[in-house]
Amino acid sequence: MSWSEMQPLLAQACWDTLYMVGWSTLVAVAGGLPLGVLLVLTDRGGLLQNVFANKVIGQIVNIARSMPFIILMVALMNFTRTVTGTTIGREAAIVPLAIGAIPFFARLVETAVREVDGGLVEAVQSMGGDTWTIVRKVLVPESLPSLVAGATTTVVTLIGYSAMAGTVGAGGLGDIAIRYGYQRFQTELMWITVAILAVVISLIQFAGDCTARALHRRGGSSGPAPRLRLLKAKEPAAADVGKVA
């Protein structure tokens, strides 16, 4: 197969892959972020401590994460058909991709939020902040660099999942590699798709790492954490002045 014949196939496959990964990432972040925060809030010592709910949510997340993606696609075929009207194509692939990524990202969110300094939460509580205020003003902003890193890992994982989705006619680079590279023995086309996937993943990882580092530097110099610590430091000093007076 000549390059002029490969080019339109590869261009459409790249677009299909980015389309599937982009939409499934949005759904995964929208579903995984509150789920991961909820796992932290309902844990022992959390702001919304509920051990039973935490165990149930945790088990659901663990079961969903343990299921291989190729099996998940087959298990969700009826649900996918109900949502999209078909089980073939890029729109159909978004459903299992998103559902498979939600618990994956939720665990990354949980890990990121647990790294937030507990003293910041106590400071906001002492100033009368409720749970929603703590989540919105402390937990999410303070863990944002780690959340970006987790989202980057999720996108990279979804690209791998999308390649597997190509085995069942979902389109994308995985479909090109299977249909042309494997079934039609177009080995050079298969290696080109592998190279494209490697370049795309490297670029995404680089962009995610740069964004996370930039957020970390900005948060370290002027984020909410230093201001909250300053407030906490000033309170005892003000009390001492009152005693002296």
Side-chain angles (χ1 to χ4, degrees):
M1 182 180 292
S2 65
W3 173 247
S4 61
E5 294 174 318
M6 292 181 188
Q7 191 173 3
L9 289 173
L10 292 172
Q12 183 61 44
C14 287
W15 167 246
D16 289 342
T17 296
L18 293 175
Y19 181 88
M20 290 185 291
V21 172
W23 280 107
S24 55
T25 299
L26 289 176
V27 177
V29 171
L33 181 59
L35 189 60
V37 173
L38 189 61
L39 283 169
V40 176
L41 295 178
T42 57
D43 201 4
R44 295 183 186 276
L47 298 173
L48 301 175
Q49 179 175 318
N50 189 323
V51 177
F52 177 76
N54 183 268
K55 294 296 184 183
V56 171
I57 297 172
Q59 285 300 318
I60 293 173
V61 169
N62 290 338
I63 292 172
R65 284 186 61 199
S66 65
M67 187 174 297
F69 179 70
I70 193 72
I71 296 176
L72 182 65
M73 282 195 302
V74 176
L76 291 175
M77 277 188 174
N78 290 333
F79 178 71
T80 301
R81 186 181 291 110
T82 301
V83 174
T84 65
T86 180
T87 58
I88 299 175
R90 62 185 190 182
E91 281 77 16
I94 291 173
V95 176
L97 283 172
I99 293 177
I102 286 174
F104 179 83
F105 184 64
R107 283 300 186 189
L108 296 178
V109 172
E110 181 188 11
T111 301
V113 173
R114 288 189 189 281
E115 294 175 355
V116 176
D117 185 3
L120 302 179
V121 176
E122 294 175 1
V124 176
Q125 284 180 313
S126 67
M127 291 184 283
D130 57 8
T131 301
W132 170 243
T133 301
I134 292 172
V135 171
R136 187 166 54 93
K137 296 292 187 179
V138 178
L139 296 183
V140 173
E142 285 296 298
S143 61
L144 194 56
S146 297
L147 291 177
V148 170
T152 303
T153 302
T154 303
V155 172
V156 172
T157 302
L158 282 171
I159 292 175
Y161 284 174
S162 70
M164 285 190 283
T167 62
V168 293
L173 291 168
D175 180 54
I176 293 295
I178 293 296
R179 282 197 296 126
Y180 292 90
Y182 177 72
Q183 296 177 349
R184 301 184 187 182
F185 304 103
Q186 299 286 341
T187 308
E188 68 280 2
L189 184 56
M190 181 176 65
W191 285 112
I192 290 174
T193 59
V194 172
I196 292 173
L197 285 170
V199 170
V200 170
I201 289 174
S202 297
L203 290 175
I204 291 173
Q205 188 67 58
F206 176 76
D209 291 343
C210 289
T211 304
R213 284 195 294 268
L215 289 171
H216 182 74
R217 287 195 297 268
R218 187 178 68 178
S221 60
S222 61
R227 292 197 296 269
L228 287 172
R229 293 191 184 101
L230 185 60
L231 285 172
K232 289 186 70 180
K234 284 182 177 180
E235 288 175 357
D240 292 340
V241 170
K243 289 179 180 179
V244 172

